[in-house]
Amino acid sequence: QDNRVSIWSAGDLGNAALNGEYHGEPHLLCDIEHNGDVMDMQFLDQERIVVASSTGAVTIFRHHQNNQTLSANHQWEKAHYHVDQDTSCGGAACTGVVCNNPEIVTVGEDGRINLFRADQKDAVRTIDNADSSTLHAVTFLRTTEILTVNSIGQLKIWDLRQQRNEPSQIFSLAGDRVPLHCVDRHPNQQHIVATGGQDGMLSIWDIRQGAMPVSLLNAHEAEMWEVHFHPSDPDHLFTCSEDGSLWHWDTSTNVSEKPSFFHQGGRSTAYLSHSTINQSVVSAWLSNDPTKDRMEITNLIPNQTLSVNSLDVLGPCLVYGTDAEAIYVNRQLFA
Amino acid sequence: TAGPLLLRLLDWVRLHVCDVDSMVREVLSSETPSKHKLFWNVVDVFVLQGRMDEARHLLSKEASANPTSMNMYKILDDLMKKMPVPSLGNTQTLTELELKWQHWHEECQRYLQDGTFASNPHMESICKILLGDEDAILEKKELMTTWYHFLVTRLLYSHPTVKPMELQFYAQSSMDLFLGGESSPEPLDMILMAAFEFEMHQVIKECSIVLSNWWFVAHLTDLLDHCKLLQSHNLYFGSNMREFLLLEYASGLFSHHSLWQLGVDYFDHCPEYGRVYLELHIERIPLSTEQKALKVLRICEQRQMHEQVRSVCKIMAMKALRNNRLGSALSWSIRAKDAAFATLISDRFLKDYCERGCFSDLDLIDNLGPSMLLSDRLTFLGKYREFHRLYGEKRFPEAARLLLTLMTAHIAPCSFWMTLLTDALPLLEQKEVIFSAEQTYELMRCLEDLTAGNPEKQKFQDDDVETTKVEMLRLALARNLARVIIKEGTVEGS
């Protein structure tokens, strides 16, 4: 197997202004060998990327922009492992990584949570057996709190300031304990959390209240691998699935009312009037009747074939990768 | 019909013989092409490939550079312009074409014999090629590089109206002439020969032998089958050629760490044996990560391959169990609806509890939810934990009731009754009376059932600890009974 971590240039953004058409194919800038499957990765800062491996290792790669190379900067080789050393390398896959420079949190199939600091050789904190099942994903709730989801359908909040190795809160879906695969938090309203399950269901939680999700939306026909709120326009949510589809969930109010802040890289801070401020604050995501609200859901993939494993979204750009060995870049997301 | 077979052959040659392309580019892009040392080579290439317009264009550069040969050039250019070729639209009949071609051929012959081109060997050679002179054409071997190029050129200049069925005769002689006994035919040559003979099965057979994998053969056969060009006789072991080859190809894909997903689609399109092959192969995919296992499961579930679902889940559950990941193991059992495995996991939990005196993985047991109903043992586990929770919260009457139900409703396995009764002890010893008379009688009955049940068990219970326990229980139960009779018999108040 030849697994690599690669950096691509998706074309000159300057050209896109002309007629909005696609200019040139993404081309490979540099790449580096990676041991094991890449399970997850995230930029730590402008130059460093943290990569989670199926071998249980967590590696920081540095991208040298002057000569376009990648090098391994630091590695925690046995970040995740099984006590009984059952697998061939003794490791347990690291399934999720999230960064808040300089802190890095990782979770894995061993049910372990690690807190690393980029400049320290050993883990700052490790919670062994944090979960008796596999932890599939992790994200920051606040700077000192994280959210994890596991394969028995539980959403847990962990307070890293506390020394005890127990979650501060546990949420789960009523009914069958369908495994949860992904989690993301609303960028502005920290009590709104979205999770995706093995049955393709999207759940929206209000973690201030209740142990149950606010809404359950029947979405994909197979595992939902990733869910992301748009970082600057969180009325938009994106999910991708094993069934080969990528959905764009749009709860923004209809076009005439929408404040036009959508310039490239703009932040959504414009509101029309005082009354709309109140409306926007009570996010459309928490509405009790999702059918009443005008939620537009679009499948962004016209000819779906194999699984869409991962996606990311920033500004007007959307990137996603599939099992068909293809990466797609859409630079006109809201055109 | 004066069909375009020749035109198609010319297209084919132009596409495939590209060794000369760089040379062509070099000459065309030079300052004065006619002075380039490879100039005549390129003209020859164009002529050999029937690219008359390009040849004439290049020749015109030569003509303007050498005015003395203007006359020769004009004649040659004219001949090339007038050459009759089969056309795409049926504007002329076969007979018309043959007639025209005969006249043109004769005209070329005349010019050659008159010595018109005698002073320029290059032009003379071109004229000979136009006449279909085999030796002249063969002189340009290096420019043609292959015998089938030679074949097409030969046909162009001697039998332009060739019909498909006649190809094989020209093919064999072309190959012999070109190779000239110096080299022997290569495998690709044999395949092409079979193709010219329209022996499709031979083509497939040759390809199968020569090529290193089944990709080409499988897809070619599939295409031929869809066009109904392949008389698929059934092979003796039941499936037809197309399916056989697709199965071989797809099986090869399954040994690849990621291409196996494509193999699934191929098996889906094999109506007879596809499913069986898929069932066998999919169970053998190495499940290196949970994510991979989930993808395999999804494929199985979409095709109602229940046995494979159960098998994959069991493998993953066993792995999880060995790694002490009881929650994961349970998750896999739930996915497979595997009650037996859920029982196994519950027994493991209970065993851990008995050994350590406390529960591990409370986050799991406390939150079983409806999955608790998957197996009786699992239900018991959940309820037993609930009992402990109630006790911890000092809700003794509820705890007592639950404990009793666990035994009387036969939710608890017999092996656990002793533990349950021992758990009842602290409740019996409480200052306040918790168990009612009826409940106490029930407990006593349970104890008797337990001890009297199996005479063999009796032997083991000669062990001191066991007998002490039983005695303590009997004493506690009796004391409780006494207290509760008094309590229940006493009139409240007054």
Side-chain angles (χ1 to χ4, degrees):
Chain A
Q1 286 195 33
D2 178 28
N3 294 317
R4 311 187 79 82
V5 171
S6 323
I7 302 209
W8 299 73
S9 159
D12 188 0
L13 282 175
N15 283 340
L18 271 175
N19 56 356
E21 293 267 307
Y22 147 103
H23 279 266
E25 287 187 2
H27 66 273
L28 183 65
L29 292 175
C30 50
D31 64 6
I32 189 168
E33 229 175 53
H34 180 264
N35 188 20
D37 297 343
V38 173
M39 306 294 293
D40 198 6
M41 60 183 178
Q42 192 168 70
F43 273 96
L44 177 64
D45 56 25
Q46 288 274 22
E47 290 184 339
R48 290 178 295 176
I49 308 153
V50 184
V51 179
S53 169
S54 61
T55 61
V58 177
T59 318
I60 304 183
F61 290 98
R62 185 181 285 275
H63 176 215
H64 305 275
Q65 301 202 358
N66 50 356
N67 62 355
Q68 287 302 348
T69 52
L70 274 169
S71 63
N73 189 264
H74 185 71
Q75 187 182 73
W76 293 282
E77 212 184 316
K78 286 204 172 299
H80 293 277
Y81 56 94
H82 286 300
V83 175
D84 277 12
Q85 305 283 304
D86 186 59
T87 52
S88 55
C89 52
C94 175
T95 51
V97 68
V98 69
C99 305
N100 187 9
N101 201 2
E103 293 189 328
I104 302 166
V105 180
T106 72
V107 293
E109 280 182 16
D110 54 355
R112 181 171 278 115
I113 301 177
N114 289 314
L115 173 61
F116 296 107
R117 277 184 73 97
D119 43 9
Q120 286 182 12
K121 186 165 151 292
D122 295 321
V124 169
R125 172 120 183 253
T126 298
I127 306 179
D128 286 326
N129 221 18
D131 203 302
S132 61
S133 65
T134 298
L135 289 166
H136 283 297
V138 62
T139 192
F140 275 101
L141 179 60
R142 282 174 253 279
T143 43
T144 53
E145 286 179 301
I146 55 170
L147 288 161
T148 62
V149 288
N150 66 14
S151 59
I152 41 172
Q154 294 172 325
L155 171 67
K156 296 183 181 175
I157 302 180
W158 302 82
D159 188 338
L160 298 173
R161 286 168 304 190
Q162 295 196 7
Q163 277 312 115
R164 58 183 206 143
N165 289 344
E166 306 266 315
S168 46
Q169 256 186 301
I170 301 180
F171 303 89
S172 49
L173 297 160
D176 282 335
R177 295 283 182 255
V178 176
L180 293 174
H181 284 286
C182 51
V183 61
D184 196 21
R185 192 210 72 201
H186 194 287
N188 308 328
Q189 296 170 55
Q190 294 178 340
H191 53 275
I192 301 179
V193 173
T195 62
Q198 201 169 90
D199 53 359
M201 183 109 70
L202 171 68
S203 311
I204 309 287
W205 310 72
D206 180 347
I207 57 175
R208 292 172 307 192
Q209 52 189 336
M212 302 272 293
V214 167
S215 41
L216 295 167
L217 301 155
N218 232 329
H220 298 279
E221 288 165 6
E223 285 82 356
M224 184 189 298
W225 293 124
E226 287 198 14
V227 60
H228 289 270
F229 281 100
H230 191 289
S232 46
D233 189 15
D235 280 341
H236 298 265
L237 182 84
F238 299 86
T239 60
C240 65
S241 163
E242 177 72 19
D243 70 3
S245 60
L246 194 157
W247 290 23
H248 170 193
W249 306 69
D250 183 354
T251 59
S252 53
T253 48
N254 58 34
V255 182
S256 54
E257 288 174 30
K258 186 155 83 171
S260 59
F261 54 81
F262 234 125
H263 304 297
Q264 286 183 349
R267 287 183 59 93
S268 63
T269 49
Y271 293 114
L272 289 176
S273 68
H274 192 70
S275 56
T276 38
I277 286 177
N278 283 335
Q279 269 179 3
S280 315
V281 164
V282 176
S283 171
W285 293 112
L286 294 183
S287 143
N288 285 327
D289 186 357
T291 57
K292 198 173 64 177
D293 248 316
R294 284 160 258 106
M295 168 144 49
E296 253 183 64
I297 307 169
T298 341
N299 181 3
L300 296 179
I301 301 182
N303 310 313
Q304 57 192 63
T305 49
L306 293 179
S307 166
V308 181
N309 293 321
S310 182
L311 76 96
D312 206 355
V313 60
L314 185 68
C317 299
L318 171 75
V319 175
Y320 60 94
T322 70
D323 265 343
E325 301 188 2
I327 302 176
Y328 296 81
V329 179
N330 180 344
R331 292 210 293 269
Q332 311 262 311
L333 195 48
F334 297 99
Chain B
T1 53
L5 173 62
L6 185 66
L7 294 181
R8 293 209 202 120
L9 286 172
L10 283 170
D11 275 339
W12 178 61
V13 160
R14 286 168 198 160
L15 273 175
H16 284 84
V17 180
C18 34
D19 293 5
V20 294
D21 283 358
S22 53
M23 181 175 70
V24 168
R25 260 197 305 272
E26 207 186 296
V27 169
L28 286 177
S29 54
S30 72
E31 287 265 335
T32 41
S34 55
K35 296 273 185 289
H36 200 290
K37 66 177 186 328
L38 297 173
F39 172 78
W40 284 107
N41 283 3
V42 176
V43 177
D44 286 337
V45 164
F46 287 148
V47 172
L48 290 166
Q49 291 185 7
R51 289 151 81 172
M52 290 310 182
D53 290 338
E54 288 167 85
R56 288 171 55 213
H57 179 75
L58 256 192
L59 275 177
S60 68
K61 294 196 200 291
E62 155 77 358
S64 45
N66 293 342
T68 47
S69 48
M70 185 57 81
N71 194 37
M72 255 196 304
Y73 157 74
K74 271 204 190 133
I75 295 172
L76 188 59
D77 183 73
D78 193 53
L79 283 177
M80 288 165 79
K81 193 165 84 175
K82 282 194 317 201
M83 178 173 132
V85 277
S87 60
L88 278 171
N90 279 336
T91 54
Q92 54 186 351
T93 66
L94 188 58
T95 339
E96 270 177 29
L97 176 65
E98 277 178 352
L99 211 58
K100 275 195 194 158
W101 191 82
Q102 199 57 40
H103 278 182
W104 173 83
H105 191 91
E106 279 162 12
E107 198 182 338
C108 294
Q109 191 77 29
R110 267 197 306 272
Y111 280 116
L112 185 68
Q113 282 168 351
D114 282 349
T116 321
F117 304 108
S119 56
N120 189 324
H122 293 292
M123 290 205 195
E124 192 173 59
S125 140
I126 289 175
C127 186
K128 283 190 184 161
I129 292 171
L130 291 179
L131 283 168
D133 183 324
E134 279 172 13
D135 295 321
I137 300 174
L138 271 174
E139 260 175 50
K140 313 289 177 186
K141 240 181 176 180
E142 277 83 48
L143 296 177
M144 291 188 290
T145 67
T146 61
W147 64 268
Y148 35 96
H149 187 327
F150 173 57
L151 163 68
V152 175
T153 307
R154 232 180 122 202
L155 290 172
L156 174 62
Y157 293 116
S158 46
H159 308 278
T161 56
V162 65
K163 296 181 199 47
M165 288 307 151
E166 297 166 348
L167 263 182
Q168 51 184 303
F169 307 116
Y170 296 114
Q172 187 64 54
S173 57
S174 298
M175 184 166 83
D176 294 335
L177 280 169
F178 191 89
L179 295 177
E182 285 169 8
S183 41
S184 47
E186 289 186 1
L188 177 62
D189 299 329
M190 303 316 295
I191 294 170
L192 281 171
M193 195 60 74
F196 286 134
E197 290 166 11
F198 287 88
E199 287 289 334
M200 269 177 284
H201 286 280
Q202 188 68 18
V203 170
I204 293 169
K205 182 171 155 198
E206 295 282 343
C207 287
S208 306
I209 296 171
V210 167
L211 298 172
S212 56
N213 66 46
W214 295 104
W215 178 82
F216 178 71
V217 177
H219 289 94
L220 178 66
T221 312
D222 184 52
L223 277 171
L224 290 173
D225 186 76
H226 282 299
C227 299
K228 305 212 190 310
L229 289 172
L230 200 67
Q231 264 128 2
S232 45
H233 44 262
N234 278 347
L235 303 170
Y236 74 92
F237 46 82
S239 71
N240 62 24
M241 170 105 76
R242 170 193 169 268
E243 181 156 319
F244 170 71
L245 291 169
L246 283 176
L247 290 171
E248 285 297 310
Y249 177 61
S251 300
L253 287 174
F254 265 86
S255 55
H256 192 273
H257 65 92
S258 64
L259 291 176
W260 59 269
Q261 288 178 293
L262 299 176
V264 174
D265 275 327
Y266 281 92
F267 283 140
D268 281 344
H269 285 86
C270 294
E272 277 208 55
Y273 291 112
R275 191 182 167 93
V276 170
Y277 268 68
L278 182 59
E279 284 173 3
L280 289 172
H281 277 283
I282 208 146
E283 277 186 339
R284 282 155 181 77
I285 295 172
L287 304 169
S288 47
T289 60
E290 289 200 357
Q291 198 177 25
K292 202 164 173 196
L294 288 171
K295 286 179 188 280
V296 169
L297 276 177
R298 190 55 65 180
I299 289 168
C300 294
E301 280 171 359
Q302 279 169 351
R303 290 158 181 75
Q304 276 94 47
M305 290 163 56
H306 303 298
E307 232 184 83
Q308 281 67 33
V309 169
R310 238 172 288 131
S311 157
V312 170
C313 286
K314 194 160 268 169
I315 293 171
M316 296 306 290
M318 281 306 300
K319 255 201 237 184
L321 210 57
R322 273 201 301 272
N323 289 324
N324 234 6
R325 313 255 81 245
L326 295 178
S328 295
L330 186 64
S331 171
W332 292 108
S333 326
I334 293 173
R335 177 88 183 249
K337 303 202 213 323
D338 191 342
F341 212 88
T343 304
L344 197 80
I345 297 168
S346 318
D347 279 337
R348 180 69 176 262
F349 270 113
L350 293 167
K351 182 164 153 280
D352 276 355
Y353 168 77
C354 288
E355 281 171 12
R356 283 193 279 163
C358 63
F359 284 107
S360 62
D361 306 315
L362 281 176
D363 65 329
L364 171 64
I365 311 177
D366 278 343
N367 294 293
L368 282 173
S371 61
M372 213 194 315
L373 301 172
L374 182 60
S375 102
D376 286 342
R377 195 60 47 83
L378 197 56
T379 317
F380 167 65
L381 179 64
K383 294 281 170 203
Y384 187 51
R385 164 66 194 150
E386 204 182 312
F387 162 73
H388 279 274
R389 248 215 326 271
L390 290 169
Y391 187 90
E393 290 168 12
K394 300 207 191 310
R395 288 152 69 182
F396 298 129
E398 288 173 65
R401 234 174 296 133
L402 180 55
L403 187 65
L404 204 51
T405 323
L406 287 177
M407 281 189 282
T408 54
H410 295 283
I411 302 175
C414 289
S415 52
F416 225 75
W417 278 24
M418 203 57 210
T419 316
L420 288 176
L421 286 167
T422 320
D423 284 332
L425 262 177
L427 289 172
L428 292 166
E429 306 280 306
Q430 292 280 334
K431 268 217 189 91
E432 221 186 292
V433 170
I434 296 166
F435 286 101
S436 71
E438 210 178 302
Q439 285 175 330
T440 317
Y441 282 127
E442 285 284 344
L443 282 173
M444 288 168 128
R445 190 178 60 75
C446 289
L447 182 58
E448 288 316 306
D449 279 347
L450 197 57
T451 53
N454 205 333
E456 268 182 42
K457 263 204 189 131
Q458 207 74 7
K459 285 195 205 129
F460 289 108
Q461 276 164 357
D462 282 336
D463 168 28
D464 271 342
V465 177
E466 286 300 306
T467 21
T468 320
K469 256 200 231 169
V470 172
E471 280 181 17
M472 278 180 66
L473 272 168
R474 288 216 177 100
L475 186 58
L477 284 167
R479 273 214 293 260
N480 192 65
L481 191 57
R483 288 162 62 195
V484 79
I485 288 176
I486 295 174
K487 174 177 174 219
E488 285 177 6
T490 308
V491 174
E492 287 296 310
S494 80

